[in-house]
Amino acid sequence: MKETSFVLRGGIAFSESPHGITTYYRGYVVCVDGICQGAFTDLPEEYKDLKLYDYGERLIIPGMTDLHVHAPQYSFRGIGMDAELLEWLSTYTFPEEAKYADIEYAKKAYEYFADDLKRCFSSRAVVFGTMHNEATIELMNQLEETGLITYVGKVNMDRNGGVDLEEKDAEASLQATIDWLEAIDGKFVNTKPILTPRFIPSCSDDLMRGIGKLSKERNLRIQSHLSENVSEIAWVKELVPESTSYANAYELFDTMGTPECPTIMAHCVHSGEEEMRILKEHGAYIAHCADSNMNLTSGIAPIRKFLDAGINIGLATDVAAGSSMNMIKTMLITLQASKMYYRLVDQEVKPLTFEEVFYLATVGGGSYFGKVGTFKKGYEFDAVVIDDSKMFSMRDMSIRERIERMCYNDADAIIKDKYVRGKKVFTSTTI
Ligand code: GUN
Ligand code: FE
C-alpha cells in the first residue's frame, strides 16, 4: 500500500469558510495519494482497507502557511526590537544578511532555520533568502530536504544596502537572478523560485522594470514589501515621484502580478482605498505580519477592511521583524491587533473572529499554493497532529474550544506529527 494513502483518526478541525470551524470528535480524515478525501464521523466502507493511524484524543488540523519569512534573519530574531523599520534594516538586518556571502556561515545558519521550520505548524512557506546566489541555493537544498513545500527568493537589491549588501547595478542584479534560475532549473520538486525585489528603496527603476519583464517572460511570481512604515512610504514617493501611491509605483514597473501569477505584498499596514483597489485588481496576496508590525512600531493593518473588499490574505511571521515562526502565536497576535484596531483606531471596523483568523492561517495563505489548507475533498493533504494533554482543565472541552485555547496559550501544545501532501515530514520523539 502507498505510504501517501492512509486514514488519521482524532479530534479534527478545519475551515470550510471564514465563518466557521468544522470539527469531528474522534473523527476520520482520509488521504489517498497525498490528496484529502474528506473528513467523516464514520469511516466510509471504501477506505476501510487503508492503514489507520489512531491519534486518540489528539487534535488534527491542516498545516499552516507562513506567507512571508526571511530565512537569513532567523539567527537574530528577538534582538534589536526598539528600532523602527529603516533604522532596524540598516543597523541589524543588512549587516546580518551581508554575512551570507560566506557559504559556510549560510550553511550553518540555514540548518537551524530549516530544521525549526520543519518542526513548527507551517507546512508551506514563502521565503526570502539574501542577494547571494550560492547561499540561496544552499537554503533551497536544505528546504527541499525537509519535505515542506516552499517558494524561495534570491533577493534583488542594487541601492541603499550599504557597501556590503548591494549589487553593482540593475544589469548585474538581473544577470545574477538569471544565473540563479539556471543553476536550480529542474533541481527541486517542492522548492520553487520566486522573484524577490526587496522593496522599492532597495531597487533602482531599471531593476524593478527588469524584474517585471522577467516575471512575464518566465511566468515567475514576485514577492516584496508594501506600505509597512510611514517613513518608508514617504521615501518611495521621493524615489518614484510620478506614482500616485506605493502600490502604484509597483504597478508602474509591472510587478503587481496577475490573478494567475499573483504577487505577494507583505504588510500593507497603511494601504488606503487606492492600494486596496490595485491589490484587488491584480489578484495580489497581502501577507499580514501582525507581530512584525507591532515590534517595529509600524502600525496595525486593517485586515477586516481587506477581507470585506475580497482581497487575498494570508498570515505571516516576517521573522526577524516578527520574533518567532510559530503560526499559532501569529494567529493570536493577529487577533489581538485587530481588537486594538477596533478599540483604538476605528470602531466601524469590527475585530476579526477566531474563525476568520484560523481560516487565514490555513486556507487564506494555503490558497496561494493551490488547493491547500483544509480537509475538504480534493485538497492537498497537509496536516499537523497536536498533543494538548498537558493543558490541564476541569472542563470537558469541545474541539473548537481546544483549538482556541491552544492559540491563546500555545506553550503546552506539542506537535506530534506533521504531514505535507500526504508525506510524514516530522514526528516528535519526545511524546
Ligand atoms: N522591508 C524591506 N526589507 C525588509 C525586511 O527585511 N523586513 C521587513 N519587515 N521589512 C522590510
Ligand atoms: Fe519582510
Side-chain angles (χ1 to χ4, degrees):
M1 205 179 302
K2 277 196 184 155
E3 258 178 49
T4 52
S5 298
F6 51 80
V7 180
L8 306 185
R9 187 168 196 209
I12 293 162
F14 59 97
S15 291
E16 293 184 85
S17 85
H19 309 300
I21 299 177
T22 305
T23 62
Y24 292 82
Y25 176 66
R26 291 196 53 67
Y28 299 88
V29 62
V30 177
C31 174
V32 172
D33 292 340
I35 302 298
C36 188
Q37 306 302 308
F40 309 94
T41 305
D42 299 306
L43 187 63
E45 201 53 45
E46 61 188 298
Y47 303 125
K48 291 225 159 118
D49 290 339
L50 292 177
K51 183 143 181 62
L52 172 75
Y53 298 97
D54 191 342
Y55 284 108
E57 292 297 320
R58 287 170 175 155
L59 298 166
I60 305 171
I61 64 171
M64 295 185 171
T65 292
D66 187 344
L67 207 56
H68 178 85
V69 55
H70 296 259
Q73 297 174 13
Y74 192 59
S75 57
F76 77 99
R77 69 199 181 284
I79 299 170
M81 303 264 72
D82 285 344
E84 290 194 26
L85 176 67
L86 299 177
E87 185 197 347
W88 177 79
L89 287 173
S90 58
T91 310
Y92 301 100
T93 312
F94 292 171
E96 178 63 25
E97 289 194 18
K99 295 181 188 166
Y100 287 73
D102 173 358
I103 189 66
E104 291 310 318
Y105 185 89
K107 232 180 209 156
K108 193 156 178 218
Y110 284 152
E111 271 168 25
Y112 283 97
F113 171 79
D115 196 52
D116 282 2
L117 191 63
K118 191 167 79 172
R119 293 164 183 278
C120 71
F121 291 91
S122 306
S123 55
R124 317 254 170 166
V126 186
V127 184
F128 270 57
T130 60
M131 66 175 214
H132 312 98
N133 281 15
E134 206 183 351
T136 305
I137 294 167
E138 173 64 27
L139 172 62
M140 296 176 90
N141 277 325
Q142 292 194 18
L143 286 172
E144 183 77 7
E145 284 282 301
T146 63
L148 304 177
I149 298 178
T150 60
Y151 282 88
V152 177
K154 166 240 171 321
V155 175
N156 296 95
M157 43 195 308
D158 69 343
R159 65 179 177 188
N160 297 316
V163 278
D164 293 329
L165 198 70
E166 218 173 79
E167 295 168 297
K168 191 168 135 274
D169 52 25
E171 198 186 328
S173 180
L174 291 166
Q175 187 57 52
T177 307
I178 288 164
D179 294 345
W180 164 61
L181 292 168
E182 272 168 18
I184 57 159
D185 190 31
K187 250 186 111 180
F188 304 118
V189 177
N190 290 331
T191 318
K192 296 195 180 83
I194 179 166
L195 297 176
T196 306
R198 180 171 212 120
F199 67 158
I200 283 181
S202 293
C203 302
S204 64
D205 293 5
D206 283 348
L207 179 52
M208 288 305 298
R209 250 180 244 113
I211 295 283
K213 191 158 164 276
L214 197 58
S215 163
K216 275 230 165 88
E217 281 168 5
R218 304 201 179 198
N219 196 28
L220 286 166
R221 296 181 182 197
I222 294 174
Q223 61 176 346
S224 196
H225 296 90
L226 175 63
S227 293
E228 174 178 4
N229 165 288
V230 175
S231 308
E232 170 211 20
I233 295 167
W235 193 12
V236 170
K237 182 65 191 160
E238 277 172 35
L239 292 167
V240 192
E242 67 276 27
S243 60
T244 52
S245 64
Y246 193 164
N248 174 245
Y250 283 114
E251 214 178 15
L252 294 175
F253 300 125
D254 228 351
T255 52
M256 279 301 297
T258 62
E260 296 72 40
C261 189
T263 291
I264 297 176
M265 285 296 175
H267 306 298
C268 304
V269 171
H270 303 284
S271 294
E273 294 295 324
E274 173 173 318
E275 294 203 334
M276 284 169 60
R277 179 184 55 72
I278 292 172
L279 289 158
K280 175 92 195 278
E281 266 174 28
H282 287 266
Y285 274 71
I286 293 174
H288 174 46
C289 311
D291 186 19
S292 159
N293 299 154
M294 297 281 190
N295 289 337
L296 297 186
T297 328
S298 301
I300 303 173
I303 296 304
R304 155 76 58 227
K305 285 195 206 171
F306 301 155
L307 259 185
D308 290 351
I311 298 169
N312 296 317
I313 306 163
L315 302 188
T317 62
D318 193 30
V319 157
S323 50
S324 105
M325 286 203 289
N326 184 341
M327 286 294 291
I328 295 285
K329 181 180 167 202
T330 301
M331 283 174 57
L332 172 58
I333 298 171
T334 299
L335 282 159
Q336 291 174 331
S338 83
K339 290 174 187 183
M340 287 304 104
Y341 189 89
Y342 165 72
R343 177 61 59 209
L344 301 175
V345 182
D346 187 347
Q347 296 197 1
E348 298 292 307
V349 181
K350 292 271 175 281
L352 297 171
T353 64
F354 183 71
E355 278 72 11
E356 287 170 327
V357 170
F358 186 73
Y359 177 89
L360 291 177
T362 53
V363 186
S367 67
Y368 181 77
F369 288 82
K371 291 182 89 171
V372 173
T374 181
F375 292 144
K376 289 200 294 193
K377 188 176 168 65
Y379 278 69
E380 295 183 26
F381 190 90
D382 292 8
V384 181
V385 181
I386 299 153
D387 188 319
D388 66 348
S389 58
K390 295 277 187 300
M391 288 192 197
F392 171 73
S393 174
M394 293 295 285
R395 303 171 47 139
D396 277 341
M397 299 184 82
S398 67
I399 302 292
R400 158 71 174 74
E401 285 173 323
R402 285 168 60 195
I403 302 282
E404 183 179 6
R405 177 181 65 164
M406 174 177 75
C407 173
Y408 277 86
N409 179 13
D410 74 335
D412 293 326
I414 300 164
I415 296 177
K416 169 65 190 143
D417 285 335
K418 183 155 99 179
Y419 298 83
V420 179
R421 211 185 264 150
K423 194 167 156 244
K424 195 189 276 188
V425 299
F426 170 72
T427 188
S428 167
T429 50
T430 57
I431 52 167

